[in-house]
Amino acid sequence: MLFLISKVLVTAFLIVIISEIAKTNERMGGLVAALPITTIMILFWLYYEKTPTEKISNHMSFTFLYVLPTLPMFLTFPYLINKFGFYISVILSIVMTIFFIFIVDFISKKFGYKII
């Protein structure tokens, strides 16, 4: 239980640090947010908890497959927020990401992965 609480606190701490960096320097905040810090932490946590290597490998494969449908959001959100404001942009980004998740799922099935 203590390990679980530690994981939550470390993850929350990182999110707060990244958001504070982004407030003062957008470029540095974007860079730090783009780094796979949480993914690397998850890998260490899975390894520490003696998760089988195959599960860790699958985790990385699925992480990659879920990153792909989010990429269009990163390209369009800056335009959307300037045109429609924050909340509409978030809603449109979520809808767009869901659409691309279905596309990636369709394509990934051809390679033996099912993400939905």
PDB file of all heavy atoms in Angstrom, residues 12-26 28-30 32-33:
ATOM      1  N   ALA A  12       1.876  12.658  -9.287  1.00  0.00           N
ATOM      2  CA  ALA A  12       1.225  13.959  -9.084  1.00  0.00           C
ATOM      3  C   ALA A  12       2.270  15.070  -9.009  1.00  0.00           C
ATOM      4  O   ALA A  12       2.078  16.152  -9.588  1.00  0.00           O
ATOM      5  CB  ALA A  12       0.383  13.929  -7.817  1.00  0.00           C
ATOM      6  N   PHE A  13       3.357  14.822  -8.318  1.00  0.00           N
ATOM      7  CA  PHE A  13       4.443  15.794  -8.210  1.00  0.00           C
ATOM      8  C   PHE A  13       4.978  16.159  -9.593  1.00  0.00           C
ATOM      9  O   PHE A  13       5.188  17.340  -9.901  1.00  0.00           O
ATOM     10  CB  PHE A  13       5.551  15.227  -7.314  1.00  0.00           C
ATOM     11  CG  PHE A  13       6.730  16.130  -7.165  1.00  0.00           C
ATOM     12  CD1 PHE A  13       6.663  17.261  -6.369  1.00  0.00           C
ATOM     13  CD2 PHE A  13       7.914  15.861  -7.835  1.00  0.00           C
ATOM     14  CE1 PHE A  13       7.757  18.103  -6.232  1.00  0.00           C
ATOM     15  CE2 PHE A  13       9.017  16.694  -7.702  1.00  0.00           C
ATOM     16  CZ  PHE A  13       8.936  17.824  -6.896  1.00  0.00           C
ATOM     17  N   LEU A  14       5.179  15.160 -10.434  1.00  0.00           N
ATOM     18  CA  LEU A  14       5.679  15.430 -11.786  1.00  0.00           C
ATOM     19  C   LEU A  14       4.708  16.277 -12.599  1.00  0.00           C
ATOM     20  O   LEU A  14       5.120  17.199 -13.309  1.00  0.00           O
ATOM     21  CB  LEU A  14       5.950  14.115 -12.522  1.00  0.00           C
ATOM     22  CG  LEU A  14       7.274  13.465 -12.200  1.00  0.00           C
ATOM     23  CD1 LEU A  14       7.367  12.092 -12.841  1.00  0.00           C
ATOM     24  CD2 LEU A  14       8.413  14.338 -12.695  1.00  0.00           C
ATOM     25  N   ILE A  15       3.425  15.984 -12.504  1.00  0.00           N
ATOM     26  CA  ILE A  15       2.433  16.756 -13.248  1.00  0.00           C
ATOM     27  C   ILE A  15       2.432  18.214 -12.788  1.00  0.00           C
ATOM     28  O   ILE A  15       2.390  19.140 -13.599  1.00  0.00           O
ATOM     29  CB  ILE A  15       1.031  16.121 -13.109  1.00  0.00           C
ATOM     30  CG1 ILE A  15       1.013  14.778 -13.847  1.00  0.00           C
ATOM     31  CG2 ILE A  15      -0.062  17.045 -13.634  1.00  0.00           C
ATOM     32  CD1 ILE A  15      -0.208  13.935 -13.568  1.00  0.00           C
ATOM     33  N   VAL A  16       2.511  18.428 -11.493  1.00  0.00           N
ATOM     34  CA  VAL A  16       2.555  19.791 -10.959  1.00  0.00           C
ATOM     35  C   VAL A  16       3.812  20.510 -11.430  1.00  0.00           C
ATOM     36  O   VAL A  16       3.755  21.662 -11.873  1.00  0.00           O
ATOM     37  CB  VAL A  16       2.457  19.783  -9.411  1.00  0.00           C
ATOM     38  CG1 VAL A  16       2.751  21.151  -8.846  1.00  0.00           C
ATOM     39  CG2 VAL A  16       1.089  19.301  -8.972  1.00  0.00           C
ATOM     40  N   ILE A  17       4.952  19.839 -11.362  1.00  0.00           N
ATOM     41  CA  ILE A  17       6.217  20.452 -11.800  1.00  0.00           C
ATOM     42  C   ILE A  17       6.141  20.832 -13.272  1.00  0.00           C
ATOM     43  O   ILE A  17       6.518  21.947 -13.662  1.00  0.00           O
ATOM     44  CB  ILE A  17       7.409  19.486 -11.548  1.00  0.00           C
ATOM     45  CG1 ILE A  17       7.652  19.318 -10.059  1.00  0.00           C
ATOM     46  CG2 ILE A  17       8.666  19.956 -12.253  1.00  0.00           C
ATOM     47  CD1 ILE A  17       8.114  20.564  -9.344  1.00  0.00           C
ATOM     48  N   ILE A  18       5.644  19.924 -14.111  1.00  0.00           N
ATOM     49  CA  ILE A  18       5.557  20.205 -15.550  1.00  0.00           C
ATOM     50  C   ILE A  18       4.620  21.371 -15.809  1.00  0.00           C
ATOM     51  O   ILE A  18       4.928  22.256 -16.617  1.00  0.00           O
ATOM     52  CB  ILE A  18       5.127  18.947 -16.316  1.00  0.00           C
ATOM     53  CG1 ILE A  18       6.240  17.897 -16.250  1.00  0.00           C
ATOM     54  CG2 ILE A  18       4.791  19.278 -17.772  1.00  0.00           C
ATOM     55  CD1 ILE A  18       5.834  16.517 -16.725  1.00  0.00           C
ATOM     56  N   SER A  19       3.483  21.422 -15.129  1.00  0.00           N
ATOM     57  CA  SER A  19       2.552  22.538 -15.351  1.00  0.00           C
ATOM     58  C   SER A  19       3.148  23.860 -14.875  1.00  0.00           C
ATOM     59  O   SER A  19       2.931  24.913 -15.487  1.00  0.00           O
ATOM     60  CB  SER A  19       1.196  22.273 -14.686  1.00  0.00           C
ATOM     61  OG  SER A  19       1.317  22.269 -13.287  1.00  0.00           O
ATOM     62  N   GLU A  20       3.925  23.833 -13.804  1.00  0.00           N
ATOM     63  CA  GLU A  20       4.581  25.061 -13.334  1.00  0.00           C
ATOM     64  C   GLU A  20       5.669  25.517 -14.307  1.00  0.00           C
ATOM     65  O   GLU A  20       5.824  26.709 -14.558  1.00  0.00           O
ATOM     66  CB  GLU A  20       5.169  24.854 -11.930  1.00  0.00           C
ATOM     67  CG  GLU A  20       4.119  24.703 -10.845  1.00  0.00           C
ATOM     68  CD  GLU A  20       3.205  25.917 -10.726  1.00  0.00           C
ATOM     69  OE1 GLU A  20       3.709  27.058 -10.727  1.00  0.00           O
ATOM     70  OE2 GLU A  20       1.980  25.710 -10.652  1.00  0.00           O
ATOM     71  N   ILE A  21       6.401  24.560 -14.865  1.00  0.00           N
ATOM     72  CA  ILE A  21       7.407  24.910 -15.876  1.00  0.00           C
ATOM     73  C   ILE A  21       6.718  25.534 -17.082  1.00  0.00           C
ATOM     74  O   ILE A  21       7.180  26.536 -17.640  1.00  0.00           O
ATOM     75  CB  ILE A  21       8.232  23.668 -16.279  1.00  0.00           C
ATOM     76  CG1 ILE A  21       9.124  23.226 -15.124  1.00  0.00           C
ATOM     77  CG2 ILE A  21       9.071  23.955 -17.528  1.00  0.00           C
ATOM     78  CD1 ILE A  21       9.806  21.880 -15.342  1.00  0.00           C
ATOM     79  N   ALA A  22       5.594  24.948 -17.512  1.00  0.00           N
ATOM     80  CA  ALA A  22       4.865  25.447 -18.679  1.00  0.00           C
ATOM     81  C   ALA A  22       4.336  26.861 -18.462  1.00  0.00           C
ATOM     82  O   ALA A  22       4.231  27.636 -19.414  1.00  0.00           O
ATOM     83  CB  ALA A  22       3.717  24.506 -19.027  1.00  0.00           C
ATOM     84  N   LYS A  23       4.009  27.215 -17.228  1.00  0.00           N
ATOM     85  CA  LYS A  23       3.530  28.578 -16.936  1.00  0.00           C
ATOM     86  C   LYS A  23       4.605  29.618 -17.187  1.00  0.00           C
ATOM     87  O   LYS A  23       4.326  30.723 -17.624  1.00  0.00           O
ATOM     88  CB  LYS A  23       3.081  28.688 -15.482  1.00  0.00           C
ATOM     89  CG  LYS A  23       1.744  28.093 -15.184  1.00  0.00           C
ATOM     90  CD  LYS A  23       1.427  28.382 -13.722  1.00  0.00           C
ATOM     91  CE  LYS A  23       0.376  27.484 -13.168  1.00  0.00           C
ATOM     92  NZ  LYS A  23       0.152  27.725 -11.734  1.00  0.00           N
ATOM     93  N   THR A  24       5.845  29.268 -16.875  1.00  0.00           N
ATOM     94  CA  THR A  24       6.925  30.246 -16.989  1.00  0.00           C
ATOM     95  C   THR A  24       7.652  30.178 -18.324  1.00  0.00           C
ATOM     96  O   THR A  24       8.187  31.184 -18.780  1.00  0.00           O
ATOM     97  CB  THR A  24       7.960  30.068 -15.856  1.00  0.00           C
ATOM     98  OG1 THR A  24       8.500  28.746 -15.926  1.00  0.00           O
ATOM     99  CG2 THR A  24       7.314  30.277 -14.501  1.00  0.00           C
ATOM    100  N   ASN A  25       7.683  28.998 -18.957  1.00  0.00           N
ATOM    101  CA  ASN A  25       8.377  28.850 -20.219  1.00  0.00           C
ATOM    102  C   ASN A  25       7.655  27.798 -21.057  1.00  0.00           C
ATOM    103  O   ASN A  25       7.779  26.601 -20.796  1.00  0.00           O
ATOM    104  CB  ASN A  25       9.840  28.441 -19.961  1.00  0.00           C
ATOM    105  CG  ASN A  25      10.676  28.428 -21.223  1.00  0.00           C
ATOM    106  OD1 ASN A  25      10.185  28.147 -22.306  1.00  0.00           O
ATOM    107  ND2 ASN A  25      11.943  28.728 -21.071  1.00  0.00           N
ATOM    108  N   GLU A  26       6.908  28.254 -22.063  1.00  0.00           N
ATOM    109  CA  GLU A  26       6.082  27.341 -22.863  1.00  0.00           C
ATOM    110  C   GLU A  26       6.922  26.283 -23.569  1.00  0.00           C
ATOM    111  O   GLU A  26       6.547  25.113 -23.624  1.00  0.00           O
ATOM    112  CB  GLU A  26       5.267  28.107 -23.919  1.00  0.00           C
ATOM    113  CG  GLU A  26       4.302  29.111 -23.353  1.00  0.00           C
ATOM    114  CD  GLU A  26       4.941  30.479 -23.122  1.00  0.00           C
ATOM    115  OE1 GLU A  26       6.010  30.760 -23.695  1.00  0.00           O
ATOM    116  OE2 GLU A  26       4.362  31.265 -22.360  1.00  0.00           O
ATOM    117  N   MET A  28       9.960  25.062 -22.778  1.00  0.00           N
ATOM    118  CA  MET A  28      10.519  24.088 -21.841  1.00  0.00           C
ATOM    119  C   MET A  28       9.405  23.197 -21.277  1.00  0.00           C
ATOM    120  O   MET A  28       9.587  21.990 -21.122  1.00  0.00           O
ATOM    121  CB  MET A  28      11.261  24.794 -20.698  1.00  0.00           C
ATOM    122  CG  MET A  28      12.040  23.863 -19.814  1.00  0.00           C
ATOM    123  SD  MET A  28      13.291  22.876 -20.665  1.00  0.00           S
ATOM    124  CE  MET A  28      14.450  24.124 -21.132  1.00  0.00           C
ATOM    125  N   GLY A  29       8.246  23.779 -20.993  1.00  0.00           N
ATOM    126  CA  GLY A  29       7.112  22.986 -20.511  1.00  0.00           C
ATOM    127  C   GLY A  29       6.684  21.953 -21.536  1.00  0.00           C
ATOM    128  O   GLY A  29       6.401  20.799 -21.197  1.00  0.00           O
ATOM    129  N   GLY A  30       6.651  22.362 -22.815  1.00  0.00           N
ATOM    130  CA  GLY A  30       6.303  21.425 -23.881  1.00  0.00           C
ATOM    131  C   GLY A  30       7.328  20.314 -24.013  1.00  0.00           C
ATOM    132  O   GLY A  30       6.984  19.140 -24.196  1.00  0.00           O
ATOM    133  N   VAL A  32       9.434  19.167 -21.656  1.00  0.00           N
ATOM    134  CA  VAL A  32       9.365  18.261 -20.506  1.00  0.00           C
ATOM    135  C   VAL A  32       8.105  17.397 -20.580  1.00  0.00           C
ATOM    136  O   VAL A  32       8.143  16.200 -20.292  1.00  0.00           O
ATOM    137  CB  VAL A  32       9.428  19.048 -19.176  1.00  0.00           C
ATOM    138  CG1 VAL A  32       9.211  18.142 -17.982  1.00  0.00           C
ATOM    139  CG2 VAL A  32      10.762  19.774 -19.054  1.00  0.00           C
ATOM    140  N   ALA A  33       6.988  17.989 -21.014  1.00  0.00           N
ATOM    141  CA  ALA A  33       5.747  17.218 -21.125  1.00  0.00           C
ATOM    142  C   ALA A  33       5.856  16.158 -22.217  1.00  0.00           C
ATOM    143  O   ALA A  33       5.246  15.090 -22.116  1.00  0.00           O
ATOM    144  CB  ALA A  33       4.577  18.154 -21.406  1.00  0.00           C
TER     145      ALA A  33
END
